[in-house]
């Protein structure tokens, strides 16, 4: 990588545009970057880092990149032209910034922008590659092969960091080397092994816990079987599986023995229970027979007591059977008597409706009178039709009168409505025109209303933001004062620490060890810390407080800018008009718009009203004309009805006689015919039923005599109904069945024999049988419990055995992974130096760095010093990252912390250059043609300075250019190519002088 040209605008301390021509500076191979403190020497290197990676080195991140000296309208920009991997590129980056608004007041924030271009040599032009921050960052990182942290350590060599690296412990060296060589993959391997060990251990412990849970289940299943306790082991303890299996085997064998004993006891109780059941059965059978015999004797005695009633029932049944022969004649006589009474009643009722002349007439006379009345009724049929027609004519005349009245109402209503038609139409037309004008007015007001509402909202926001701006300004002022106070406090503490730095350095002096400042091995009067001494921790705390206060100040200024920008936008939209005035104008527009909309809402109703009115006008005009036509036709119809009515009335007067109407006369005749006919029929039926009743009495007397009864009434009294007959038969049958059953029981030999035996003792036999059954159930329960215990123990033992077999591979895997994880973590006994895997890799890299650094350190120290890597342990720490220096003058190897100030500088410089070579090779061999070395040359004497400069000048052999950042005045004489940074009240600027003069 070679830098060609750097353009800086409004960046850091540079208020204007500055340009650095690295090609001119690099022509001499060695150039000097100098200037007073605070001028911006480091900012030049920050600009290079920002152009490549979009951010500055880690120690200077978090602050604003924009120059406070730059004009408000000037944008911060860094443009770097470089060659890397054979490609000439131009990187331009612009951080976000707040610029003044083009219209109105306030500021607006513009986003960060980036450009990447490549020079096309054949065409002599630049070609755009990308404008994406991410794509540009990935492209630069891939071409350089280094991250930002590696670039800052390799290209921008910070000598102070490497001086601390020389004196650091293994942990601090490991962190720096880990960032440079990216050994995270080896740390990831350590973490992966540790994670796998934890997972395997978790699985083994889970399996052991499950096995131990099964053991506890077996203990619960065994109950009080034996007193052997479970193994006193925890999950993960060795030997747990074997102990559990051994305990399970003992429990299973003991359970089987208990099962065999319970089985024998059950068989003995079953035999005893069977014998007791037989004795109980025999006792119960004797008791049953004795009870059966006694009960039969009691039933025989009761039958003897009811013998008289049984004989009476038999006689009653015999009379009833004889009376059943007379039953049909009795039924026939009752039927005939009922029919005769009904017929006689009907005849009496029919004769009561006839005139007195027909009171003694027989059935024949009544029938003749009925036929005569029917003939007279038939002669009135034509007169009834004429009377019906006359009624219809009257209804037609009434309908004509109703229609005439309705047409008169229609004509009168139509004439009145039509008389007001013109005024009604004019009124509706006026309503339509007014509504149309209101709709037009509402549209115009709506166009004016929305801008007025927007201005009012903007004015209200403007008033609110005005107050927010004052609050934000107050917060910014307070934040600035707080940041200034924190900075003053930090600088005061830093000055106090610098004044007492001698005492702080003296605290680390050891008699016989060289002083890091003067190199003396004797320390007769070391400085002492005074009261109120400020140490590094206090200074760092104050610096942290200042940085936080400065961040709060920047955040407050950013928020103030946002509020001002929003206020400017609201002011631009609302203008300077007061909010109350805008509110009144908006309310007035809203009121007028609402009124116009209300008036316009009646347009549709008015249009519909006019349409309905026109339709009503046409309807009423048609109705008026139709009513006039119907009036003329009604006159002719009324005259015809009058003529028909007169003709029919003369015909009907002759036909109805003395009756009020033909219908009344016909009704009289119909009632007479009906009454005569019914009376004749009733008289015939009454004569027939009287004859049938006489015949039934004769047959009943004959049947009763043949059945043996003196009178028909005696036969009727002996007759039983169905329910009484069934009840009497049931009583007779029950007597016979009970008598047969008693005789059968008394004739049984076993029952009679049992009756002569002593009374059976069933209660004692039942108690003996119950005791035997209880003992058998207890034995069966004990056997079942023993069987279940054996089954459960066998199941749990098989499960435990399966768990042990399943845990075997897991435990082997855990042992293997645990050994690897302990070895990689440096905690294994096999790892004698307690070196972690990542430390082992870093130790190899450090050994390469020490070898590369020694090649330059020997030249700088005239062959005296050599850097060597040491993997010895320091104290209780781990080994692998030790760094020693071999002094050729004494032949002894000692720690790098014993080097003097000047020796530490050129040793750290050699280490930095060697690290740059190793990191470059690690990054894929990317050529680094431009390097920067920051400070440290003031600690060298003239001879050592010449030797160091010779080493740096020898870098040109690899076509490198080295930039030295230093305050040392002697370097301005020795190095001719210079880049001077000059500070002023309007910002810093650069002055460049090439190697030719």
């Amino acid at each position: 990588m070679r830098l060609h040209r750097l353009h800086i605008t409004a960046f850091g301390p540079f208020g204007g545009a500055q340009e650095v021509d690295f090609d001119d500076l690099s022509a001499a191979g060695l150039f000097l970057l100098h200037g007073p403190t605070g001028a911006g020497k480091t900012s030049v290197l920050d600009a290079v880092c920002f152009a490549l990676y979009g951010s500055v080195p880690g120690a200077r991140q978090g602050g604003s990149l924009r120059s406070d000296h730059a004009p408000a309208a000037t944008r911060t920009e860094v443009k770097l032209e470089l060659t890397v991997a054979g490609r000439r590129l131009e990187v331009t980056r612009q951080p976000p910034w707040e610029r003044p608004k083009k219209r109105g007041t306030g500021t607006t924030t513009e986003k960060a922008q980036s450009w990447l271009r490549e020079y096309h040599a054949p065409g002599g032009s630049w070609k755009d590659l990308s404008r994406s921050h991410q794509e540009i960052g990935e492209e630069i990182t891939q071409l350089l092969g280094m991250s930002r942290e590696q670039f800052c350590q390799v290209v921008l060599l910070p000598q102070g960091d490497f001086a601390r690296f020389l004196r650091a412990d293994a942990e601090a060296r490991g962190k720096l080397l880990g960032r440079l060589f990216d050994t995270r993959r080896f740390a990831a391997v350590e973490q992966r092994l540790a994670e796998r060990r934890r997972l395997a251990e978790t699985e083994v412990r889970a399996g052991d816990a499950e096995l131990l849970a099964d053991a506890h289940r077996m203990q619960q299943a065994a109950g009080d079987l034996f007193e052997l306790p479970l193994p006193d082991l925890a999950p993960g303890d060795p030997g747990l599986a074997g102990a559990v299996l051994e305990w399970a085997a003992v429990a299973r064998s003991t359970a089987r023995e208990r099962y065999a004993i319970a089985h024998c006891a059950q068989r003995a109780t079953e035999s005893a229970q069977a014998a007791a059941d037989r004795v109980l059965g025999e006792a119960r059978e004797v008791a049953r027979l004795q009870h059966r015999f006694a009960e039969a004797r009691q039933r025989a005695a009761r039958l003897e007591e009811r013998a008289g009633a049984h004989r009476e029932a038999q006689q009653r049944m015999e009379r009833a059977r004889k009376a059943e022969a007379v039953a049909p004649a009795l039924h026939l006589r009752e039927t005939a008597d009922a029919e005769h009474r009904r017929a006689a009643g009907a005849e009496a009722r029919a004769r009561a409706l006839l005139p007195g002349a027909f009171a003694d007439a027989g059935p024949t006379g009544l029938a003749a009178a009925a036929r005569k009345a029917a003939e007279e009724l038939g002669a009135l049929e034509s007169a009834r039709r004429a009377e019906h027609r006359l009624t219809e004519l009257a209804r037609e005349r009434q309908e004509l009168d109703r229609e005439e009245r309705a047409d008169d109402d229609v004509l009168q209503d139509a004439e009145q409505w039509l008389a007001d038609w013109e005024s009604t139409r004019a009124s509706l037309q006026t309503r339509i025109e007014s509504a149309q004008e209101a709709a037009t007015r509402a549209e115009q007001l709506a166009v004016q209303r929305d801008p007025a509402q927007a201005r009012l909202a903007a004015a209200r926001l403007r008033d609110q933001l005005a107050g927010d701006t004052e609050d934000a300004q107050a917060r910014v002022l307070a934040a600035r004062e707080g940041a200034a106070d924190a900075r003053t406090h930090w600088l005061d503490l830093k000055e106090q620490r610098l004044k007492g730095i001698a005492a702080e350095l003296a605290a680390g002096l050891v008699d016989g060890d060289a002083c890091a400042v003067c190199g003396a091995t004797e320390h007769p009067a070391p400085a002492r810390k005074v009261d109120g001494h400020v140490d590094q921790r206090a200074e760092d705390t104050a610096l942290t407080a200042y940085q936080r206060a400065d961040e709060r100040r920047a955040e407050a200024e950013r928020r103030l800018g946002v509020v001002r920008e929003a206020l400017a936008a609201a002011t631009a939209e609302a203008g300077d008009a007061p909010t109350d005035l805008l509110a009144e104008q908006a309310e007035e527009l809203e009121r007028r718009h609402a009124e116009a909309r209300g008036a316009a809402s009646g347009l549709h109703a008015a249009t519909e009203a006019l349409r309905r009115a026109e339709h009503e006008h046409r309807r009423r005009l048609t109705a008026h004309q139709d009513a006039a036509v119907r009036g003329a036709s009604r006159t002719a119809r009324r005259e015809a009805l009058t003529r028909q009515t007169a003709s029919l009335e003369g015909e009907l007067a002759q036909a109805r006689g003395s009756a009020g109407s033909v219908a009344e006369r016909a009704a009289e005749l119909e009632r007479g015919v009906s009454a005569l006919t019914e009376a004749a029929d009733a008289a015939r039926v009454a004569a027939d039923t009287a004859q049938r009743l006489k015949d039934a009495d004769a047959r009943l007397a004959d049947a009763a005599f043949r059945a043996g009864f003196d009178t028909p009434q005696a036969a009727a009294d002996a007759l039983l109904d169905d329910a009484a007959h069934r009840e009497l038969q049931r009583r007779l049958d029950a007597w016979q069945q009970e008598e047969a059953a008693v005789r059968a029981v008394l004739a049984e030999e076993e029952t009679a024999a049992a009756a002569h035996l002593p009374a059976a003792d069933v209660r004692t036999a039942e108690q003996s049988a119950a005791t035997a059954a209880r003992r058998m159930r207890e034995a069966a329960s004990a056997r079942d419990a023993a069987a279940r215990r054996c089954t459960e123990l066998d199941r749990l033992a098989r499960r435990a055995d399966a768990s042990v077999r399943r845990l075997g591979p897991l435990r082997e895997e855990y042992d293997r992974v645990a050994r690897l994880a302990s070895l990689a973590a440096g905690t294994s006994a096999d790892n004698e130096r307690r070196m972690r895997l990542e430390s082992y890799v870093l130790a190899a890299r450090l050994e390469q760095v020490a070898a590369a650094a020694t090649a330059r350190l020997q030249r700088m120290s005239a062959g005296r010093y050599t850097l060597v890597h040491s993997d010895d342990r320091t104290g209780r720490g781990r080994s692998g990252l030790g760094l020693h220096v071999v002094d050729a003058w004494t032949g002894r190897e000692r720690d790098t912390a014993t080097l003097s100030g000047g020796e530490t500088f050129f040793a750290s410089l050699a280490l930095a250059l060697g690290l740059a070579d190793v990191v470059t090779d690690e990054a894929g061999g990317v050529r680094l043609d431009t390097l920067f070395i920051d400070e440290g040359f003031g600690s060298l004497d003239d001879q050592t300075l010449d030797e160091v400069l010779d080493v740096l000048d020898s870098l040109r052999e690899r076509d490198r250019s080295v930039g030295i950042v230093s305050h040392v005045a002697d370097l301005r004489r020795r190095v001719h190519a210079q880049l001077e940074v000059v500070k002023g009240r309007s910002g810093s600027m650069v002055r460049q002088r090439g190697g030719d003069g």
Side-chain angles (χ1 to χ4, degrees):
M1 180 199 73
R2 177 178 295 278
L3 305 181
H4 298 294
R5 191 169 288 101
L6 176 66
H7 299 269
I8 304 174
T9 304
F11 182 86
F14 304 103
Q18 305 293 325
E19 181 175 349
V20 179
D21 189 351
F22 286 109
D23 287 338
D24 184 39
L25 292 173
S26 302
L30 197 64
F31 63 90
L32 178 66
L33 175 59
H34 67 94
T37 301
K41 301 185 296 298
T42 306
S43 295
V44 175
L45 307 183
D46 291 346
V48 173
C49 185
F50 176 72
L52 293 175
Y53 294 97
S55 60
V56 297
R60 294 183 289 277
Q61 290 189 42
S64 176
L65 301 179
R66 179 169 176 77
S67 175
D68 295 334
H69 302 284
T74 301
R75 172 120 195 202
T76 301
E77 180 181 270
V78 176
K79 183 185 296 182
L80 176 64
E81 187 178 337
L82 72 158
T83 297
V84 58
R87 300 168 60 185
R88 185 154 185 161
L89 304 174
E90 181 188 78
V91 186
T92 305
R93 292 189 185 271
Q94 296 178 350
W97 72 304
E98 292 186 0
R99 63 166 179 81
K101 289 187 175 180
K102 297 180 180 179
R103 290 179 293 183
T105 60
T107 60
T108 183
T109 302
E110 288 195 2
K111 296 180 180 179
Q113 299 185 19
S114 301
W115 293 270
L116 178 62
R117 300 195 302 172
E118 183 175 4
Y119 184 71
H120 187 60
S125 61
W126 291 92
K127 176 184 177 182
D128 291 334
L129 297 182
S130 177
R131 294 175 64 91
S132 169
H133 303 299
Q134 183 177 357
E135 291 180 358
I136 295 174
E138 292 176 353
E139 182 71 15
I140 294 297
T141 302
Q142 183 177 1
L143 291 174
L144 292 177
M146 291 181 287
S147 64
R148 187 196 65 193
E149 291 77 9
Q150 291 175 322
F151 179 84
C152 293
Q153 294 288 344
V154 174
V155 179
L156 311 179
L157 301 177
Q159 292 308 299
D161 289 351
F162 281 94
R164 287 191 294 272
F165 181 81
L166 285 174
R167 297 186 176 94
D169 56 9
E171 190 72 21
R173 285 179 184 148
K175 291 181 180 178
L176 176 61
L177 293 174
R179 290 197 303 270
L180 291 177
F181 293 105
D182 191 14
T183 57
R184 289 176 295 180
R185 59 187 182 277
F186 300 102
V189 171
E190 296 179 23
Q191 295 177 358
R192 177 57 179 164
L193 288 174
E195 182 180 357
R196 287 190 59 186
R197 177 179 60 186
R198 288 193 298 272
L199 291 176
E201 183 179 5
T202 301
E203 292 180 357
V204 170
R205 286 182 176 273
D208 284 350
E210 182 179 356
L211 181 61
L212 198 55
D214 288 339
H216 284 290
R217 294 189 187 98
M218 284 189 284
Q219 187 181 36
Q220 293 177 357
D224 56 353
L225 192 62
F226 59 97
E227 299 298 331
L228 180 63
L230 284 175
D232 188 14
L233 296 174
D237 292 347
L240 175 63
V244 169
L245 293 181
E246 181 180 355
W247 187 92
V250 174
R252 290 169 63 194
S253 63
T254 305
R256 290 192 183 95
E257 292 176 359
R258 291 292 181 89
Y259 172 73
I261 295 171
H263 183 67
C264 294
Q266 181 188 11
R267 295 182 62 182
T269 57
E270 287 177 351
S271 299
Q273 195 267 342
D277 286 344
R278 286 193 301 272
V279 172
L280 176 62
E282 293 173 355
R284 284 176 175 174
E285 180 63 18
V286 170
R288 184 185 67 81
L289 293 175
Q290 290 176 346
H291 176 72
R292 179 178 176 83
F293 184 82
E295 185 181 27
R297 295 293 297 272
Q298 294 174 0
R299 289 163 62 189
R302 287 195 296 270
L303 286 175
E304 185 65 26
E305 293 175 357
R306 296 197 302 270
H310 175 64
R311 287 190 294 273
E312 291 178 359
Q314 286 178 334
Q315 294 174 1
R316 181 75 176 91
M317 178 60 72
E318 183 65 23
R319 290 176 57 81
R321 289 194 183 98
K322 292 179 180 180
E324 287 177 359
V326 188
L330 284 171
H331 178 68
L332 180 60
R333 199 272 174 191
E334 291 176 355
T335 303
D337 183 58
E339 289 178 353
H340 177 64
R341 285 195 296 271
R342 286 194 298 272
E347 180 184 9
R349 289 191 296 275
R351 287 182 179 277
L353 298 176
L354 296 176
F358 298 102
D360 297 330
T364 305
L366 293 175
R371 286 194 296 271
K372 183 178 179 181
E375 291 174 358
E376 186 179 356
L377 179 62
L380 291 176
E381 183 62 29
S382 61
R384 295 172 67 182
R385 288 195 297 270
E387 188 178 37
H388 180 70
R389 176 56 182 162
L390 185 61
T391 303
E392 292 180 350
L393 291 176
R395 284 198 299 271
E396 290 183 7
R397 288 178 63 87
Q398 292 175 358
E399 181 65 21
L400 289 176
D401 294 339
R402 188 190 61 76
E403 292 179 356
E404 183 176 8
R405 289 192 300 272
D407 286 343
D408 290 341
D409 293 341
V410 170
L411 288 173
Q412 183 179 0
D413 186 51
E415 289 173 356
Q416 292 177 356
W417 195 91
L418 292 173
D420 298 335
W421 164 243
E422 292 300 331
S423 61
T424 301
R425 184 174 61 181
S427 176
L428 292 175
Q429 191 65 39
T430 301
R431 283 179 58 193
I432 292 174
E433 293 174 355
S434 299
Q436 290 176 343
E437 292 176 357
T440 303
R441 188 166 61 256
E443 293 178 357
Q444 295 173 352
L445 291 173
V447 174
Q448 301 175 11
R449 182 188 60 172
D450 294 340
Q453 292 291 346
R455 286 190 64 194
L456 175 60
R460 290 171 176 168
L461 180 60
R462 176 198 63 196
D463 297 344
Q464 178 183 355
L465 291 175
D468 295 343
T469 302
E470 295 178 358
D471 296 340
Q473 288 176 346
R475 287 193 293 271
V476 168
L477 181 59
R480 286 175 177 172
E481 291 177 355
D485 294 343
R487 187 173 187 276
T488 301
H489 178 63
W490 167 56
L491 293 176
D492 291 343
L493 292 180
K494 184 175 183 180
E495 184 177 0
Q496 294 177 22
R497 180 169 179 262
L498 291 176
K499 290 179 179 180
I501 195 68
E504 186 173 334
L505 294 174
L509 294 176
V510 179
D511 291 337
D513 293 342
C515 176
V517 179
C518 62
T521 58
E522 295 180 358
H523 319 294
R528 304 295 181 183
K529 293 182 180 180
V530 299
D531 294 339
H533 174 74
V534 178
D535 56 6
Q536 178 70 32
R537 181 177 181 181
E539 181 184 352
D540 293 342
T541 302
L543 175 60
T544 302
Y546 162 62
Q547 290 174 345
R548 292 177 179 172
D550 192 61
E551 291 175 357
R552 290 192 292 271
R553 174 198 59 78
E555 178 63 18
E557 291 178 349
R558 185 190 66 78
R559 292 182 178 177
L560 176 60
V562 172
V563 173
R564 284 177 174 173
E565 181 180 353
L567 176 60
T571 304
E573 185 175 358
D576 298 330
T579 304
D580 296 340
L581 178 60
L582 293 177
E584 292 177 359
Q585 294 175 354
E587 291 176 359
E588 178 64 20
L589 286 174
E590 186 66 29
R591 183 187 61 77
R592 292 171 58 193
H593 179 261
E595 291 177 355
R597 286 187 60 189
S601 63
L603 176 60
H604 177 72
T607 304
E608 285 296 315
L610 178 59
R611 183 186 62 77
R612 291 193 298 270
E614 291 176 347
H615 176 73
E616 183 67 16
H617 174 261
R618 292 191 298 272
R619 187 186 67 78
R620 290 181 179 270
L621 187 60
T622 302
H624 185 276
Q625 295 172 355
D626 293 343
V629 172
R630 287 194 300 271
S633 64
R634 273 195 305 273
T635 302
R637 178 62 179 164
R638 184 177 286 107
E639 293 176 355
L641 292 177
T642 301
R643 290 193 297 271
Q644 292 181 14
T645 301
S647 174
L648 291 174
E649 286 179 349
E651 181 181 351
L652 290 175
Q654 182 179 359
R656 64 176 173 258
S658 61
S661 64
V662 174
E664 292 179 1
R665 179 57 182 167
E668 291 177 359
L669 293 175
E670 287 177 355
R671 288 194 296 273
V673 171
S674 177
L676 289 171
T677 303
E678 289 180 0
D681 293 340
R684 283 193 300 270
V685 172
D688 293 341
T689 57
Q691 183 61 40
R692 286 196 295 272
L693 177 60
K694 183 178 180 181
D695 296 340
D697 286 339
R699 284 194 294 269
L700 174 61
D702 182 63
F705 177 75
R706 285 196 301 269
F709 292 100
D710 296 337
T711 62
Q713 184 62 40
D717 294 340
L719 189 64
L720 297 175
D721 57 13
D722 292 342
H725 186 276
R726 285 194 299 271
E727 177 61 21
L728 184 57
Q729 185 64 46
R730 183 191 65 77
R731 288 165 55 191
L732 294 174
D733 293 342
W735 172 273
Q736 293 177 357
Q737 291 174 1
E738 178 69 7
E739 185 180 19
V742 170
R743 289 176 180 175
V745 171
L746 295 176
E748 293 176 354
E749 295 181 359
E750 293 181 358
T751 304
H756 293 87
L757 294 176
D761 191 359
V762 178
R763 181 177 182 83
T764 302
E766 288 178 347
Q767 292 177 352
S768 300
T771 302
R774 177 177 55 79
R775 292 174 179 174
M776 185 190 70
R777 288 194 299 272
E778 292 175 352
S781 299
R783 178 202 178 268
D784 293 341
R788 287 194 300 272
R789 183 186 297 115
C790 290
T791 302
E792 182 66 12
L793 289 175
D794 290 341
R795 183 184 68 82
L796 292 174
R798 289 193 300 271
R799 179 172 172 179
D801 187 63
S803 298
V804 171
R805 290 196 299 272
R806 186 177 65 255
L807 282 175
L810 291 177
R811 192 175 296 278
E812 293 177 0
E813 175 68 14
Y814 166 69
D815 294 339
R816 182 171 60 256
V817 172
R819 287 195 301 271
L820 288 175
S822 300
L823 189 62
T827 59
S828 173
D830 298 333
N831 192 334
E832 297 178 355
R833 298 186 179 277
R834 300 185 63 192
M835 186 183 296
R836 293 170 47 218
L837 177 62
E838 184 181 14
S839 300
Y840 177 78
V841 175
L842 292 177
R845 293 290 187 268
L846 182 59
E847 190 172 1
Q848 295 174 356
V849 171
T854 297
R856 294 182 175 86
L857 179 59
Q858 288 181 341
R859 291 185 57 185
M860 295 179 186
S861 62
R864 179 180 179 182
Y865 293 118
T866 300
L867 284 175
V868 294
H869 161 253
S870 173
D871 55 5
D872 293 336
R873 293 175 57 181
T874 57
R876 296 174 59 88
R878 298 177 182 174
S879 59
L881 297 179
L883 193 63
H884 292 172
V885 61
V886 178
D887 190 345
W889 291 2
T890 62
R892 299 185 62 182
E893 178 180 331
R894 54 191 172 97
D895 194 273
T896 53
T898 61
L899 295 174
S900 65
E903 292 170 341
T904 299
F905 167 71
F906 60 70
S908 63
L909 177 60
L911 185 64
L913 294 175
L915 182 63
D917 293 338
V918 175
V919 172
T920 300
D921 296 338
E922 178 74 13
V926 176
R927 185 179 179 84
L928 302 177
D929 298 322
T930 305
L931 298 176
F932 293 92
I933 301 175
D934 189 3
E935 288 299 348
F937 293 89
S939 60
L940 303 179
D941 55 27
D942 292 342
Q943 180 181 356
T944 305
L945 180 61
D946 289 337
E947 293 174 350
V948 169
L949 291 178
D950 289 342
V951 172
L952 295 178
D953 192 55
S954 67
L955 296 176
R956 289 187 296 174
E957 298 174 0
R958 301 177 63 178
D959 197 19
R960 282 181 175 174
S961 60
V962 179
I964 301 175
V965 184
S966 178
H967 294 279
V968 178
D970 192 39
L971 288 175
R972 302 175 194 171
R973 176 179 56 81
R974 295 169 180 263
V975 180
H976 301 290
Q978 298 180 9
L979 179 65
E980 182 181 6
V981 182
V982 182
K983 66 179 179 180
R985 298 183 63 85
S986 59
S988 299
M989 57 182 298
V990 297
R991 296 176 183 172
Q992 184 170 334
R993 184 177 70 181
D996 55 356

